[in-house]
């Protein structure tokens, strides 16, 4: 099993910065409309494993569909850094855009196919 690591990352312009801890064992390759159009690959984290370090005031919330997932976009560069969501059992979850992790190489990440389009 991969061991959790702590990563830093942020949006493209650098105003939004975060620190996150994850083993990146489950990273989505989802075929839903937003993941396809934005090229999103998400890792789901407990809120305690995600800290926004800078740029809280630089975030714009984007909602669609059932508004179950609240996407957080940098208002300057437009990058969708993370999203806040609620699991069916009511617990809060962070969906981190793994492409925002500093130095990430997506070609080295094992992706889990998700059929979001048909959910
Ligand atoms: Zn930005």
């Amino acid at each position: 099993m991969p061991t959790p690591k702590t990563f830093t990352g942020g949006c493209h312009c650098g105003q939004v910065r975060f620190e996150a801890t994850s083993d990146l064992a489950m990273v989505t390759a989802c075929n839903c409309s937003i993941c396809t159009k934005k090229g999103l690959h998400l890792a789901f984290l407990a809120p305690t494993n995600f800290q926004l370090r800078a740029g809280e005031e630089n975030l714009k919330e984007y909602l669609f569909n059932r508004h179950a997932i609240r996407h957080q976009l940098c208002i300057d560069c437009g990058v969708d850094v993370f999203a806040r969501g609620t699991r069916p059992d009511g617990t809060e979850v962070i969906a981190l855009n793994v492409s925002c992790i500093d130095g990430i190489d997506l070609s080295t990440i094992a992706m889990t196919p998700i059929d979001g389009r048909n959910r």
Side-chain angles (χ1 to χ4, degrees):
M1 230 178 103
T3 37
K5 277 203 277 189
T6 298
F7 301 97
T8 58
C11 68
H12 190 262
C13 73
Q15 294 194 73
V16 178
R17 296 289 301 164
F18 65 81
E19 197 173 292
T21 302
S22 172
D23 57 11
L24 299 182
M26 208 292 251
V27 175
T28 63
C30 176
N31 62 6
C32 82
S33 60
I34 194 161
C35 289
T36 298
K37 285 193 186 284
K38 292 190 167 213
L40 289 177
H41 298 290
L42 303 173
F44 295 91
L45 314 177
T48 49
N49 286 331
F50 179 86
Q51 284 86 40
L52 200 56
R53 293 290 187 220
E56 177 116 52
E57 67 296 335
N58 228 52
L59 291 169
K60 177 188 188 318
E61 194 158 85
Y62 176 67
L63 303 174
F64 76 111
N65 199 2
R66 284 169 290 165
H67 293 189
I69 299 178
R70 286 122 47 211
H71 289 263
Q72 307 294 316
L73 279 57
C74 174
I75 54 175
D76 285 308
C77 67
V79 169
D80 197 328
V81 182
F82 66 102
R84 298 182 194 279
T86 310
R87 292 188 192 274
D89 68 2
T91 54
E92 293 290 309
V93 66
I94 298 287
L96 178 68
N97 177 358
V98 300
S99 302
C100 290
I101 293 172
D102 292 336
I104 196 83
D105 180 350
L106 288 181
S107 68
T108 66
I109 305 282
M111 305 273 181
T112 303
I114 305 285
D115 190 17
R117 185 173 294 179
N118 296 306
R119 274 193 191 170

